[in-house]
């Protein structure tokens, strides 16, 4: 779907279960994207309700700032959701364990439609752009930098750990195919192409998921997605009021 025509997943269910029970409360959208869920959640809040949103992506935050300029109940934060309790300390649970001040928190995990659509982000297998794969392009290593410099064993570990395979030999073959052009004179030119080619390759026989999985493995590693999820859920728990709700779309 093109940016701007995206339909947020399960919006009626999210609004019914997360917002309608406490329309006067504080709700948090941990993954703003282009604000599809945020807008739906704000529309279900009363005039006293408040919405905070987070995203690591600068383009998402620019979109959120435009919404915040016209919606006084809304604030966007350019931060990973693992930082939500640190960013909203006045809403975190009291030292006596009285619970926090947030009624509901939504996580819509993964990449947004605009991230997928933009060739320069590297999420789209067939698009000819740099292999980046970061949610936050202002920090950390790009996928191209990682594949150009990481030891073979580290690339293999990432492909094996996050690529939904227990086949270490297959992970090693993909790692070898990716790092092969490092030895060639035109390596800076060919490496992104080569890794893009390998990462987009059709599945080999009897390993139906493996060829699609390396891209996901790199994304999970470069964005520390599993670490973010466990720290984000813990932060969310510390913000929730008694009876509060967490929703996760994955
Ligand atoms: C599936 S999209 C969300 C789409 C959104 N619900 C909407 O309706 O437009 C996921 C978003 O989460 C962001 N994201 C991923 N990991 C994050 C993290 N750890 N902290 C904050 N944002 C994150 C991505 O940059 C992306 O914009």
């Amino acid at each position: 779907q093109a940016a701007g025509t995206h339909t947020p997943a399960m919006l009626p269910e999210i609004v019914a279960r997360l917002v309608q029970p406490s329309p006067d409360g504080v709700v948090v959208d941990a993954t703003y994207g282009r604000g599809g869920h945020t807008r739906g959640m704000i529309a279900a809040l009363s005039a006293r309700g408040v919405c905070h949103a987070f995203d690591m992506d600068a383009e998402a935050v620019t979109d959120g700032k435009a919404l915040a300029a016209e919606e006084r109940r809304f604030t966007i934060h350019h931060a990973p959701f693992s930082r939500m309790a640190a960013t909203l300390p006045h809403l975190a649970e009291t030292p006596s364990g009285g619970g926090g001040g947030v009624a509901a928190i939504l996580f819509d995990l993964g990449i947004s439609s605009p991230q997928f659509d933009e060739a320069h982000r590297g999420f789209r297998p067939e698009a000819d752009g740099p292999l980046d794969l970061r949610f936050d392009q202002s920090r950390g290593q790009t996928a191209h930098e990682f594949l150009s410099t990481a030891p073979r064993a580290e690339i293999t570990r990432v492909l094996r750990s996050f690529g939904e395979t227990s086949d270490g030999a297959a992970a090693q073959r993909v790692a070898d195919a990716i790092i092969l052009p490092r030895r060639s004179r035109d390596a800076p030119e060919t490496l992104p192409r080569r890794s893009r080619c390998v990462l987009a390759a059709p599945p080999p026989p009897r390993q139906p998921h493996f060829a699609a999985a390396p891209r996901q493995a790199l994304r999970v590693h470069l964005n520390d997605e599993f670490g973010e999820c466990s720290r984000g859920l813990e932060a969310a728990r510390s913000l929730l009021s008694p009876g509060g709700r967490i929703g996760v779309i994955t």
Side-chain angles (χ1 to χ4, degrees), residues 31-37 55-56 80-81 108 110-111 115 135 228:
T31 49
Y32 177 83
R34 284 300 179 273
H37 288 102
D55 209 293
M56 291 167 81
F81 53 59
D108 179 15
I111 60 172
Q115 285 168 335
F135 292 136
E228 270 299 311

Side-chain angles (χ1 to χ4, degrees), residues 11-93:
L11 182 60
E13 290 85 354
I14 295 298
V15 167
R17 287 173 177 73
L18 295 191
V19 189
Q20 281 169 356
S22 313
D24 297 337
V26 180
V27 297
V28 173
D29 184 349
T31 49
Y32 177 83
R34 284 300 179 273
H37 288 102
T38 295
R39 287 182 177 81
M41 290 163 79
I42 292 172
L45 287 170
S46 75
R48 283 196 298 277
V50 168
C51 179
H52 289 273
F54 291 80
D55 209 293
M56 291 167 81
D57 184 322
E59 292 173 20
V61 172
T62 300
D63 189 278
K65 283 188 174 158
L67 176 60
E70 62 194 42
E71 174 53 75
R72 63 166 180 82
R73 295 172 293 173
F74 175 62
T75 311
I76 180 99
H77 306 276
H78 188 193
F81 53 59
S82 57
R83 301 271 311 151
M84 71 169 80
T87 308
L88 305 170
H90 55 294
L91 295 169
E93 70 186 0

Side-chain angles (χ1 to χ4, degrees), residues 15 57 83 96 117 172-174 209 220 237 241:
V15 167
D57 184 322
R83 301 271 311 151
S96 56
D117 288 339
Q172 190 130 69
R173 281 199 301 279
V174 175
H209 301 297
V220 168
R237 191 206 56 75
S241 55

